[in-house]
Amino acid sequence: MSIAYPNPDDESPVQEDRLWQGNGWTARVIKNDDDDGWAVAMIKDGEPEPALVGPWTMGRDKKNPKPLDVNAFNTLVKTASEVIRRHEQQLHAQLHKNVTVGSDDGPVKVCLDITPDEDDPYATLSAFDEYGEALARVRVPPTFKLSATSAANWIENGYKKP
């Protein structure tokens, strides 16, 4: 979504009742399609979709939305930033897994790192000793299921591609 400035020559952020910009974000109060109320969309600069869309309070006339202000905007920025942070943490947890298993040479940390490429997704299976030294690295399908059992089997098979 491109940000509309009142004057194309003016690069200062808009801070109006239904549109507020600052800190890399735009808050836009919109009509809620589901009912007669209002919603606010928080859009991070450069992103095509809102990071957060939530209900917005009616004004005193019970018809129009409550105007945006600096305090409400700062709260919305904090909330939307937290939503993005949690999403990034969840994605990281899905793409990077590890288990530690015992071996004859001591504990081995086995990591699975998935690369979700659109054309050629793959994963890398890596093993590290207790000092963090790399023991092995092989490319595996992105559907590989890492578990203590699969990691132990890989180690027992001399780190050959599973």
Side-chain angles (χ1 to χ4, degrees):
M1 164 179 260
S2 63
I3 299 169
Y5 294 102
N7 176 351
D9 297 329
D10 184 5
E11 293 278 328
S12 61
V14 176
Q15 295 182 337
E16 299 173 349
D17 288 353
R18 294 190 191 179
L19 179 68
W20 200 280
Q21 297 170 324
N23 302 331
W25 290 88
T26 298
R28 185 180 303 274
V29 176
I30 53 177
K31 189 77 173 135
N32 190 340
D33 294 334
D34 296 335
D35 62 24
D36 293 332
W38 295 89
V40 63
M42 288 299 296
I43 304 154
K44 189 164 179 63
D45 288 357
E47 294 295 321
E49 297 291 323
L52 175 73
V53 177
W56 188 244
T57 309
M58 291 284 229
R60 292 182 187 211
D61 66 2
K62 303 294 181 198
K63 183 177 180 182
N64 294 305
K66 177 181 162 190
L68 287 164
D69 61 31
V70 69
N71 293 331
F73 180 76
N74 289 337
T75 300
L76 288 164
V77 166
K78 183 177 177 183
T79 303
S81 296
E82 181 67 17
V83 166
I84 287 175
R85 189 181 69 78
R86 286 184 181 169
H87 176 73
E88 288 170 348
Q89 285 177 335
Q90 180 184 13
L91 182 60
H92 185 269
Q94 289 173 342
L95 299 177
H96 306 282
K97 301 176 191 281
N98 68 74
V99 296
T100 301
V101 295
S103 75
D104 294 339
D105 297 323
V108 176
K109 180 178 179 182
V110 177
C111 302
L112 178 69
D113 296 299
I114 300 171
T115 303
D117 187 280
E118 284 185 31
D119 297 327
D120 185 25
Y122 65 93
T124 304
L125 195 59
S126 308
F128 302 91
D129 68 14
E130 61 188 312
Y131 305 107
E133 294 293 321
L135 300 172
R137 176 171 279 136
V138 296
R139 189 168 167 154
V140 295
T143 55
F144 182 86
K145 300 292 183 207
L146 180 63
S147 66
T149 302
S150 66
N153 289 339
W154 183 49
I155 294 166
E156 288 172 15
N157 289 325
Y159 302 106
K160 292 181 182 152
K161 188 172 179 175

